Amino acid sequence: MNEQRPGLAVSSLALLVILFLQIPVIVVMLASFSETSYLTIPPQGWTLKWFEAVLTDRTYIDAIKNSLILAVGSTVISLVLGVAASYAIFRKMMPGSEALTSLLMAPLIIPSVVIGVALLQYFTLVGMRGSFFVLLIAHVVITVPYIVRSALASLSGIDLAVEEAARVLGANGFTTFRLVTLPLIKPGLVAGALFSFVTSMENVPVTIFLAGPRDTTLPILIFTSVEMGVNPSVAAVSTLLIIATAAVLLAAERWTGFHRFV
Amino acid sequence: MSNLSLRHLVKRYGTVSVVKNVSLEIAEGEFVSLLGPSGCGKTTILRMVAGLIEPSDGTITVGGRDITRLPPNKRNVGLVFQSYALFPHMTVFENVAFGLRRKGESGDGLVARVNEALSMVRLDGYGERYPRQLSGGQQQRVAMARAIAPRPSVLLFDEPLSNLDAKLRDEMQIELKRLQRELKITTLFVTHDQAEALSLSDRVCVMHDGVIQQFAAPEEIYHRPATSFVASFIGKPNHLAGTVKDGAVDLGDGLVLQSTGAAALGEGAPVDIFIRQEAVTLSASASDDGASVPGTIVLRSFSGAQVQYVVRLGERFEVVVEMASSGEGANLAQGDEVFLTIRPQDIIILGSGPGA
């Protein structure tokens, strides 16, 4: 078979699909600049007042703050737990590693709504419902699979002899992990952490069951705002979210070339 | 003192024993090779000495200190891996410094010792490079520098030269021997390459199936193998079988070979004999002392310094004979009737059959 550049038809089709997929994003971004107090396309006039409205509104600021704390917190906890679990699984330190892997990865497959309902029932039963801590635990549950997946993939790329070399050269188990294993799996972990962060940041179905009135996150706020009647400040906050996400992804790609690990 | 001693070492995986009651005494500064085919247990022994595998039974001591149950980081051994196992995210300097830092070395002392180690393997000035920027041979040197820098009491090599091409391997062999002589570190070298083992070692330990077959100086291993396995594993000797008759070996078909050791095995005993390719002389006429047997050349092949012949002996045997291509007997042709002369002391003779 001879290698060929895709023909005109295939290229146009691909371009069309990409455009189609991006239309909602473009629509939201355009709408956020409209002067009207309802969402409309094309925007009527140009203004930044909706951005100003969002950034001066306590409700939005608190929600953004909550979301960031939650996303950073759950990612850090997931990193610690996920990497430790992956290492134990990978080195076959205990029986049943396959089963454990499936268990840790399960939240990827189980519908989020089901996880939400299940956690709500569980925390109600143990009388912990409605606290921020509960929300944090829930987000760890849904973000840990991303860490485990990337950690396992990265670990499988390491020559076991490299760790043995460190041990023989006088490093104890922890030092070996810190100085040799961890630096070698870092690019993969950065990728996993990004997915974890984004997953926590955008989650609605689990959060909505568990968030108390004072713990509203940004996606929940957007969701409820839209229910009450759409105004362009929702579009403005969405635009901010899109820009922030794109910036983080670009930076991470520059930093680690993480697309290799996705 | 850092003599290495293994006593009754056993490693079992389930019901399978890969190392069966191995005892080995290696003197301080001695270079010993563990030689054997893959699966003979040699690497398992090495890894037990390094602390990477726990023995099922037995003890390992270095300089009288029992290290059998110590973790690898408390053993003060150096290990050079087959895959080199350099730390890819560290510079050459940091690789070599790794073991020294773990011993609390820092500052000028650290720099001096790293540079000393790099200079011993002739890699001065390579400190700032990363392993991926080096050739295979250079990576090998870094691995050696890294192992010797902390001045281990025992140095272990796990087939360190098997990933290098032939020319580089010869160079590194010489380098390695020079280095070991200079440092006088007790060394255990695992290899399946007999030439490597024979040329590097003070003593060679031939292993098969988890058991020591023979532990002796290279010359003795080569000329006086203790078991059939050693005889057939070392070199590419011709293997013939016969019985002892009148103090000589009767191969049947009227072929009788004089052999020094034959009488000791007893009249009528079945024996295996091994004849090195270079121990045979071919000539057109029989020798006077009756120590030669007749044969027919069935194949001749020229390989530069040597000429190899395949010679048919009677109905049952073919032997390979190697002659210097510059000497007499280099110009025999296929189909020639020749006489094979083998000095009686050059025939390796071992009792065969049950109990041997």
Side-chain angles (χ1 to χ4, degrees), chain B residues 183-356:
Chain B
L183 296 166
K184 298 184 182 67
I185 301 180
T186 311
T187 300
L188 190 58
F189 187 95
V190 161
T191 181
H192 64 264
D193 182 331
Q194 44 172 301
E196 204 168 275
L198 294 176
S199 73
L200 285 172
S201 320
D202 298 315
R203 281 191 293 168
V204 177
C205 177
V206 183
M207 296 206 48
H208 179 51
D209 207 13
V211 176
I212 295 179
Q213 298 284 317
Q214 189 173 9
F215 182 36
E219 284 83 357
E220 185 161 346
I221 296 269
Y222 191 80
H223 293 300
R224 286 183 295 283
T227 67
S228 296
F229 176 80
V230 178
S232 55
F233 185 73
I234 306 287
K236 286 171 285 178
N238 297 292
H239 178 196
L240 311 174
T243 49
V244 177
K245 191 178 170 191
D246 301 333
V249 181
D250 184 1
L251 299 176
D253 298 333
L255 297 168
V256 175
L257 283 175
Q258 303 298 327
S259 168
T260 338
L265 289 164
E267 187 70 12
V271 290
D272 282 318
I273 64 172
F274 297 89
I275 304 165
R276 303 254 174 236
Q277 295 178 12
E278 71 278 10
V280 184
T281 316
L282 295 182
S283 53
S285 55
S287 65
D288 306 332
D289 54 9
S292 54
V293 289
T296 313
I297 292 176
V298 293
L299 199 68
R300 174 184 189 270
S301 100
F302 174 79
S303 62
Q306 275 91 35
V307 181
Q308 285 183 328
Y309 297 100
V310 178
V311 183
R312 171 162 287 278
L313 288 183
E315 294 296 310
R316 290 164 58 215
F317 300 116
E318 273 184 359
V319 298
V320 179
V321 176
E322 193 175 273
M323 304 284 284
S325 64
S326 55
E328 273 179 69
N331 297 314
L332 298 164
Q334 192 173 325
D336 282 2
E337 300 290 330
V338 291
F339 288 89
L340 294 84
T341 309
I342 308 142
R343 295 192 304 164
Q345 64 268 37
D346 286 343
I347 292 180
I348 298 158
I349 182 162
L350 295 161
S352 67

Side-chain angles (χ1 to χ4, degrees), chain B residues 105-138:
Chain B
E105 199 79 45
S106 66
D108 291 346
L110 176 79
V111 175
R113 286 185 60 182
V114 170
N115 287 336
E116 185 196 16
L118 283 177
S119 143
M120 271 188 229
V121 297
R122 304 180 192 199
L123 279 180
D124 313 73
Y126 280 79
E128 294 315 306
R129 307 231 190 151
Y130 281 89
R132 62 175 176 276
Q133 297 169 307
L134 303 178
S135 69
Q138 289 168 335

Side-chain angles (χ1 to χ4, degrees), chain A residues 13-29:
Chain A
L13 189 65
L15 199 66
L16 219 70
V17 170
I18 291 171
L19 261 176
F20 178 74
L21 289 176
Q22 297 307 317
I23 282 174
V25 174
I26 297 163
V27 166
V28 166
M29 290 180 82

Side-chain angles (χ1 to χ4, degrees), chain B residues 40-53:
Chain B
C40 72
K42 57 191 193 298
T43 296
T44 306
I45 291 178
L46 183 99
R47 292 172 67 81
M48 288 195 282
V49 176
L52 299 171
I53 296 178

